[in-house]
Amino acid sequence: MPELPEVETVCRGLNKATSGLTFIGVEVLLSRSLAYPKVDATFIEGIKSRKIITWHRRGKYLLAQLSHGWLGVHLRMTGQLLWLTQDTSLNKHTRIRLFFPDNRELRFVDTRTFGKVWFIPNDESPENIITGLQKLGYEPFSPDFSDSYLQSKLSKSRRHIKTFLLDQSLVAGIGNIYADEVLFKSNIHPLTLACDLTFSQISALRLAIIEILENAIEAGGTSFSDFLQITGVNGNYGGIAWVYGRKGLSCRICGTTINKMKLGGRSSHFCPQCQRMNENFSL
């Protein structure tokens, strides 16, 4: 699933390509891709002739502020937003087409059809319609995402730190890839209990979250599977990843072989030398 860096990369690309443009038409090819309103004609009527003011990212959601109302998108596992000419051959997994002047279109492609699109009328707030927004924790780049905030949450949790980082209600936007990267950068083993972290480890963790996410955004995200930038270009972070996707390869810091294990049904990559367990570790 695209994580914060991938969604932020798409958001920036959308702002560059579509801000100030007006929808001149909409085609819905798969009705179940619509989360709200669920009726094709109502969605089309709501979007048509609206102007895009700017795009925002909240967690893993994309929100376009329109001249009247909002357009929301969640890419989920395989969703893509591609900026194309209207005569580009149609992918069989195309679900929604949003048309603009000068033969341009924004095409929502989604192989597994888990992604969703919303039109929020002007008299509603996105949070009231997209209920997932209500559950999101602080953004990693927010001033509210402080050492003390993290400590207050971690000290109460006996979950493994890897599982903690994946909880969107605690910190928005981190998924499996960047949780592994962040834990490596802060020298924390993924099985460490959240409540066992020292304050210095918590501080290192917060700084690692910010650094890793910033680096991944600069690299255009990670393209291990379906993620593409809006121009169809792959993200480049995979080539510089510290541990994710590097099972059996040498650690870039100490040369130890990178390990991989299952934790909560998800893969976890780590260096057993750089990420040693705390002495007071307990299961």
Side-chain angles (χ1 to χ4, degrees):
M1 180 183 292
E3 302 177 29
L4 186 154
E6 288 74 48
V7 181
E8 180 65 25
T9 297
V10 171
C11 184
R12 294 182 183 187
L14 289 170
N15 271 320
K16 184 176 180 180
T18 69
S19 289
L21 299 185
T22 300
F23 297 105
I24 60 172
V26 183
E27 182 180 10
V28 177
L29 301 175
L30 185 69
S31 296
R32 71 170 179 269
S33 291
L34 299 179
Y36 185 91
K38 293 183 179 293
V39 178
D40 294 11
T42 307
F43 177 84
I44 292 170
E45 185 62 27
I47 292 294
K48 192 174 179 182
S49 300
R50 306 295 190 194
K51 180 180 179 180
I52 297 176
I53 306 302
T54 190
W55 288 86
H56 305 270
R57 179 197 55 77
R58 179 69 173 104
K60 300 175 186 179
Y61 291 85
L62 288 160
L63 297 167
Q65 183 180 357
L66 308 178
S67 50
H68 291 85
W70 296 78
L71 175 68
V73 181
H74 199 315
L75 300 175
R76 299 287 173 86
M77 293 184 67
T78 60
Q80 300 169 346
L81 285 173
L82 301 176
W83 182 241
L84 305 165
T85 58
Q86 293 175 24
D87 52 6
T88 302
S89 57
L90 205 62
N91 184 304
K92 68 178 181 179
H93 301 299
T94 302
R95 309 308 180 189
I96 298 173
R97 304 176 72 189
L98 304 168
F99 301 111
F100 296 90
D102 300 322
N103 194 41
R104 303 297 303 194
E105 74 169 277
L106 186 61
R107 194 174 291 180
F108 180 59
V109 178
D110 188 10
T111 303
R112 299 188 66 181
T113 71
F114 295 139
K116 294 296 178 184
V117 179
W118 295 258
F119 170 68
I120 298 100
N122 200 44
D123 58 351
E124 293 280 3
S125 69
E127 290 79 9
N128 288 342
I129 302 299
I130 307 175
T131 56
L133 293 174
Q134 302 170 9
K135 305 171 184 177
L136 295 180
Y138 289 139
E139 290 286 326
F141 304 128
S142 166
D144 295 319
F145 185 65
S146 62
D147 290 352
S148 59
Y149 166 78
L150 266 184
Q151 183 185 37
S152 69
K153 298 296 184 180
L154 288 162
S155 64
K156 302 172 186 176
S157 175
R158 290 189 58 80
R159 285 186 289 177
H160 298 123
I161 185 59
K162 170 67 182 288
T163 306
F164 178 95
L165 290 175
L166 299 179
D167 187 341
Q168 300 300 296
S169 70
L170 298 170
V171 54
I174 299 177
N176 205 46
I177 294 173
Y178 300 109
D180 282 357
E181 293 291 283
V182 163
L183 290 175
F184 174 82
K185 188 67 177 178
S186 51
N187 302 119
I188 298 171
H189 194 284
L191 285 177
T192 304
L193 298 186
C195 60
D196 284 343
L197 292 179
T198 66
F199 189 78
S200 62
Q201 286 179 309
I202 292 170
S203 182
L205 178 67
R206 187 184 69 85
L207 292 175
I209 288 171
I210 294 170
E211 180 182 344
I212 290 294
L213 294 178
E214 286 179 340
N215 289 344
I217 291 169
E218 185 177 347
T222 304
S223 290
F224 279 110
S225 54
D226 295 277
F227 171 69
L228 294 174
Q229 299 177 31
I230 68 166
T231 55
V233 175
N234 287 331
N236 296 317
Y237 183 80
I240 60 172
W242 292 103
V243 289
Y244 189 86
R246 302 191 69 243
K247 176 188 176 183
L249 300 179
S250 297
C251 173
R252 299 186 190 276
I253 298 297
C254 71
T256 303
T257 300
I258 299 298
N259 285 358
K260 177 182 176 181
M261 65 179 176
K262 284 288 185 179
L263 179 58
R266 309 293 294 275
S267 63
S268 289
H269 302 78
F270 65 99
C271 171
Q273 177 64 29
C274 294
Q275 296 169 263
R276 294 183 178 185
M277 296 297 307
N278 283 5
E279 290 183 2
N280 59 341
F281 167 69
S282 58
L283 282 173

